[in-house]
Amino acid sequence: MGGGAVATRKARLLLRAGATLTVVSPEISRELQAMLGEHNGVWQRGRYQESDLHSAHLVVAATPDTSVNEQVYNDATRQSKLVNVVDAPHLCTFIFPSIVDRDPLLIAISSSGTSPVLTRILRRKIEAMVPAAYGRLASFAGRFRQLVKDKIPSEGPRRLFWEQTLEGTIAEQVLAGREEEAERQLHARLGDTEALHSGEVYLVGAGPGDPDLLTFKAARLLQSADVVLYDRLVSAAIVDMARRDAERIYVGKRRADHSVPQTEINQLLVDLAQQGKRVVRLKGGDPFVFGRGGEEIELLAKHRIPFQVVPGITAANGAACYAGIPLTHRDHAQSVRFVAGYLKNDTVEHDWTSFQSTTETLVFYMGLLGLPVICAQLQAHGRSPDTPVALVERGTTLEQKVLVGTLANMEEKVAQAQPAAPTLIIIGDVVRLHESLSWFGQAATE
Ligand code: SAH
């Protein structure tokens, strides 16, 4: 309804979308008349009547007369027709969103009638962000959709195939206008059946606790995974970053109570990948620092399953930074050593004579139970009883606590404080800096 400038604008959009158009109006613009002629549209000359709506699917009221527009709205809703009254969001059962047209790719933006200017600004940004050639990429993908579906019937591997295709070199070829080369590469990839049906495993370091310490790569892979295996050290906030429909498998370990034995985890990774799944194995901290990451990929390599290892911030780095304890320092420590502190046969097995240097910072992982042995051995092998010791509990999380003492009195302090796992022990002169450099403040420090 209507034949002026507004009606002409809407008509142009509708015709471009393939609509068959009837315009009801006593007069219409010359442009509209021409458009109708070109697209076999009809101009029904005259004033609006309810019966005009009978053959319509979609109704647009664009007359200058608000009472007519309102009448159109009432009639159309009574007849259960979709209706849009221009510039009256409350009289619309459908809207014309602002669009970015990369045919066949179409991006629609709407502010639900609140701010057309905002949608236009947003549209400009998206226009700039989405290359014009993306339409070509969409057509290219469309051409091979069925073929790929036939070749890769299961959904997981097929999604992986398309993600790699649309973000990889094949897409680059299409965007550069070399479709023949792109097609050749696509057929080559589809021919490599073994690669197509195998999944992939990513061994991902999740950092020491604070989700913000995840790497970009870890976050991206987490978003793409079909299955996520995680253990006790990985915080819930990080597991939550996985795709909503991704399967989550807890394979947590506790001291002496291994919920899922390591060999089973290794095998599980192989099995899932062989089902064509994309598996993220999340490990606390860094996968290659006391993480048994090496064992997990050994079996993958043996089965020729593609894998990647993504480094993470290890507990020593995270806890030391958040506790204000520099691991090295020009004046106090020229080296740092990461040491396993767990008990084996009731003792911590090391060549203790090699820990004598006063300019080396020692970081013990898994050392809470072994702490009395560690402190005693270091003193027995020449370290001064005054050597400062820090125990960082749940480092980098909001619950982080730092307990400071010396080799001589740490056992007693820990017995009193009863810290909760996981805890990290840092030993050396750098611990003295904690008081002045800690931004966690006194409250967190006992
Ligand atoms: N791959 C991990 C270490 C796994 S071993 C990493 O790179 O950090 C498990 C030990 O790490 C725990 O016993 C504890 O000593 C230490 N740890 C892990 N996260 C910690 C945290 N948030 N705070 C203190 N210690 C932590």
Side-chain angles (χ1 to χ4, degrees), residues 208 233 284-286 289-291 314-315 364-366 392 394-395 422-424:
L233 281 178
D286 180 274
V289 177
F290 305 123
T314 190
F364 282 90
Y365 286 68
M366 304 167 284
V392 184
R394 292 188 270 194
T423 58
L424 199 74

Side-chain angles (χ1 to χ4, degrees), residues 140-329:
F140 180 85
R143 263 203 293 144
F144 296 102
R145 189 146 184 242
Q146 192 56 47
L147 178 72
V148 172
K149 209 167 183 173
D150 295 341
K151 290 257 185 190
I152 319 174
S154 44
E155 208 185 306
R158 193 166 65 239
R159 174 156 29 89
L160 180 60
F161 175 87
W162 276 124
E163 280 177 11
Q164 288 171 348
T165 301
L166 294 175
E167 284 183 330
T169 57
I170 296 182
E172 291 305 330
Q173 302 290 351
V174 177
L175 294 177
R178 292 191 287 268
E179 294 212 10
E180 259 171 52
E181 174 57 19
E183 196 170 332
R184 198 189 58 71
Q185 288 184 15
L186 184 117
H187 285 299
R189 279 198 59 207
L190 282 173
D192 187 353
T193 24
E194 197 187 333
L196 282 185
H197 295 277
S198 94
E200 255 181 77
V201 178
Y202 310 116
L203 210 60
V204 176
D210 182 346
D212 280 356
L213 293 180
L214 217 56
T215 60
F216 283 117
K217 191 163 184 180
R220 184 162 51 78
L221 293 176
L222 206 47
Q223 285 281 312
S224 74
D226 300 309
V227 189
V228 178
L229 271 72
Y230 64 101
D231 50 46
R232 188 180 50 92
L233 281 178
V234 179
S235 67
I238 291 175
V239 180
D240 276 348
M241 288 169 69
R243 250 190 29 236
R244 217 173 338 154
D245 51 349
E247 188 183 347
R248 286 141 218 238
I249 303 177
Y250 178 72
V251 292
K253 286 190 216 149
R254 240 170 297 138
R255 235 179 359 239
D257 157 34
H258 289 214
S259 337
V260 181
Q262 187 64 48
T263 49
E264 266 179 51
I265 297 179
N266 302 351
Q267 189 59 48
L268 190 56
L269 291 174
V270 171
D271 293 346
L272 289 165
Q274 282 177 341
Q275 291 164 23
K277 302 232 162 89
R278 225 179 325 172
V279 187
V280 162
R281 167 68 170 118
L282 270 181
K283 319 258 327 170
D286 180 274
F288 279 0
V289 177
F290 305 123
R292 305 187 76 168
E295 297 165 49
E296 296 184 1
I297 56 176
E298 215 171 285
L299 201 63
L300 295 171
K302 214 154 94 194
H303 284 83
R304 301 199 43 215
I305 290 166
F307 64 82
Q308 287 185 48
V309 183
V310 181
I313 292 179
T314 190
N317 291 136
C321 283
Y322 280 41
I325 302 172
L327 292 175
T328 67
H329 190 286

